[in-house]
Amino acid sequence: MSTQPVVSLRGVTKSFGAGGVTALQSIDLDVLAGEFVSLIGPSGCGKSTLLRVVGDLVDATSGEVVVNGKSARQARRDGDYGIVFQDAVLYDWRTVAKNIALPLELLGWGKARREKRVEELLGLVELQGFGGLHPWQLSGGMQQRVSIARALSFSPALLLMDEPFGALDEMTRERLNGELLRIWEMSGSTVIFVTHSISEAVFLSTRVVVMSRRPGRIAALVDIDLPQPRNADTREEPHFFELVTEVRDRLREGGLNEESTAPGEGELVGEGTP
Amino acid sequence: MPAAVVFFAAIVFWEGAVRIFDIQDFLLPAPSDIVSTLRSDWEPLWSAAFFTFREAVAGFVLGCSAGFLVAAAIARFRLLRSAVMPYAIAAGAVPIIAFAPITNNWFGVTGMSSKIAIAAILCFFPMLVNTMKGLTSVPTSSIELMRSYAASELTIFRRVRLPSSLPYVFSGLKVCTVLAMIGAIVGDYFGGAPGALGVQIRRWVGIFAFDQAWAGIVLASALGILFYGSVAVAERLVMGWHPSVRGAGAE
């Protein structure tokens, strides 16, 4: 694990409209190579916006975004990003295999090379034999695995994930959490992961970035020193609960005044809350 | 299958009603009379119907391609879109068929081109609106995903916007098959080539040849259904992947 920052944010501010809402205010953050960093915060804290700023899908109003030593735009042009959204964003007119191969087609890979890579990826996300199906024939969890395979297909330096398991049920989510960690260890990529589940953030991350409510600011950084590799037992360890409590406390400090008006926000949302 | 039962029941009811209540020929001829007229006068009926069908298809092709191309051209430009779309949508509420006598003046009464023109104009606006809807109602995340791969606008159009617009495009095309037939036949009613179906139907009505008029209408309906059906088949072939098509196939 090197210590060279893959993402470096300096004074990143984003406001929408002329003199409108400030979504992000003076964000400073370094993400090192091989890190798994989660962004957590109440709804509307700008965590998704921050992810989009890093991925050059949204322009920062001011501040500097450096990815792999270059501008975010250049990084996007160079194909440094693999993105996974909350919905799998699979194209219905393509089979599973062709969805995974889409970025490779755009990169101009030959057919044989693409097919070989797709087979590898289907194995990685444990969907061997599903390549010929259409996305709508798969369950939500399987669709999201296809989406992850697609994001990994061209081995991007940086994986950006925007609540990828937010729409899934708790059991599927926990299983995919485990799979994601395994994939992360195997691929060695750097991950920025947006979530509003505290336990998910603690379980997955090497570091949790706690954001405060609008205007979005970094309220705290919590290092997650749980040993790797993590598995279902990790969730039972006392230290896991200590870290969950710490993140929750930091969230409370960050969004204290509004938490009472939005029950569930900042708590273990998605874990029993409908 | 239930649909076929309804069809035959309706025919039997029609035949029975005409015979039992002795309905006059000029009000409603019996299906059996219409069928026998179709048999005996097939040659003139078919040539008239096929003539008008060709007008409809030509108008359909012209109007739909124009509608599609204009939509594709302006879909990318929000300003242009917001300038044009209200009128395109409003045009849907305008009885464009009322212009048929005018296109006769513009393109000549006896030729095909005036009928092709009115059919094309009828097809143009629904096609424009449907295509535009299809091209612009792509989820943001679909587009963002392509952007993250540094895909160009053209690539995004070809790989995402176009395929995801297909359900809208085909529903536009299906509506337009009907509109094109209406345009061509009603266009003929305001005057057209002597061999055109609309002209013939008016003439038959004028000389009290009602079974021939009805036979012409039945033939036009059959061609209209065939036209619609072939677009529906094309839709299935092109969009075999689409859940709605699969779902419909399973029923």
Side-chain angles (χ1 to χ4, degrees), chain A residues 37-252:
Chain A
V37 172
S38 286
L39 307 178
I40 192 167
S43 295
C45 72
K47 52 193 192 292
S48 288
T49 306
L50 184 56
L51 194 81
R52 280 173 164 71
V53 167
V54 172
D56 189 43
L57 296 173
V58 164
D59 287 325
T61 310
S62 63
E64 194 188 23
V65 182
V66 178
V67 177
N68 280 337
K70 48 202 171 182
S71 71
R73 178 134 315 159
Q74 193 55 46
R76 179 165 66 83
R77 293 209 176 119
D78 293 351
D80 288 354
Y81 300 116
I83 298 193
V84 180
F85 294 102
Q86 178 166 359
D87 46 334
V89 197
L90 300 174
Y91 299 131
D92 275 336
W93 53 91
R94 288 176 162 255
T95 59
V96 165
K98 290 209 161 160
N99 266 287
I100 297 175
L102 174 67
L104 306 178
E105 280 177 34
L106 296 177
L107 288 170
W109 286 32
K111 192 165 185 242
R113 193 172 163 216
R114 280 198 319 254
E115 282 171 358
K116 186 163 168 287
R117 179 66 178 147
V118 167
E119 272 313 305
E120 279 171 33
L121 289 158
L122 284 171
L124 184 70
V125 297
E126 291 176 341
L127 284 174
Q128 296 100 327
F130 288 92
L133 294 184
H134 280 272
W136 43 271
Q137 293 171 303
L138 305 182
S139 69
M142 289 159 97
Q143 291 184 3
Q144 203 52 278
R145 266 144 64 192
V146 174
S147 172
I148 291 169
R150 178 182 56 194
L152 292 169
S153 62
F154 52 103
S155 309
L158 187 58
L159 201 53
L160 302 177
M161 308 184 86
D162 190 2
E163 295 187 39
F165 309 134
L168 303 178
D169 65 85
E170 183 64 8
M171 285 192 313
T172 310
R173 174 195 283 228
E174 286 194 1
R175 207 183 64 240
L176 289 183
N177 281 170
E179 283 188 34
L180 178 59
L181 277 186
R182 181 177 57 78
I183 290 166
W184 169 65
E185 273 163 34
M186 284 170 72
S187 65
S189 49
T190 310
V191 182
I192 303 183
F193 188 95
V194 169
T195 178
H196 51 215
S197 160
I198 297 173
S199 69
E200 184 176 63
V202 170
F203 178 74
L204 290 173
S205 312
T206 55
R207 203 148 53 109
V208 173
V209 176
V210 178
M211 295 183 65
S212 67
R213 206 175 269 277
R214 196 173 283 151
R217 260 183 291 221
I218 294 180
L221 299 172
V222 181
D223 280 315
I224 307 297
D225 49 3
L226 292 166
Q228 304 280 359
R230 296 171 191 171
N231 52 40
D233 297 335
T234 308
R235 294 182 196 272
E236 310 295 333
E237 283 173 26
H239 191 47
F240 177 79
F241 292 110
E242 285 166 24
L243 288 164
V244 165
T245 307
E246 182 175 356
V247 171
R248 184 180 294 132
D249 289 345
R250 297 282 170 271
L251 272 168
R252 288 236 170 87

Side-chain angles (χ1 to χ4, degrees), chain A residues 2-65:
Chain A
S2 110
T3 50
Q4 178 210 353
V6 173
V7 178
S8 180
L9 305 175
R10 290 289 171 271
V12 168
T13 297
K14 171 71 189 173
S15 28
F16 289 102
V21 188
T22 306
L24 297 170
Q25 197 164 52
S26 315
I27 303 283
D28 293 322
L29 182 67
D30 282 332
V31 177
L32 306 181
E35 265 197 297
F36 195 122
V37 172
S38 286
L39 307 178
I40 192 167
S43 295
C45 72
K47 52 193 192 292
S48 288
T49 306
L50 184 56
L51 194 81
R52 280 173 164 71
V53 167
V54 172
D56 189 43
L57 296 173
V58 164
D59 287 325
T61 310
S62 63
E64 194 188 23
V65 182

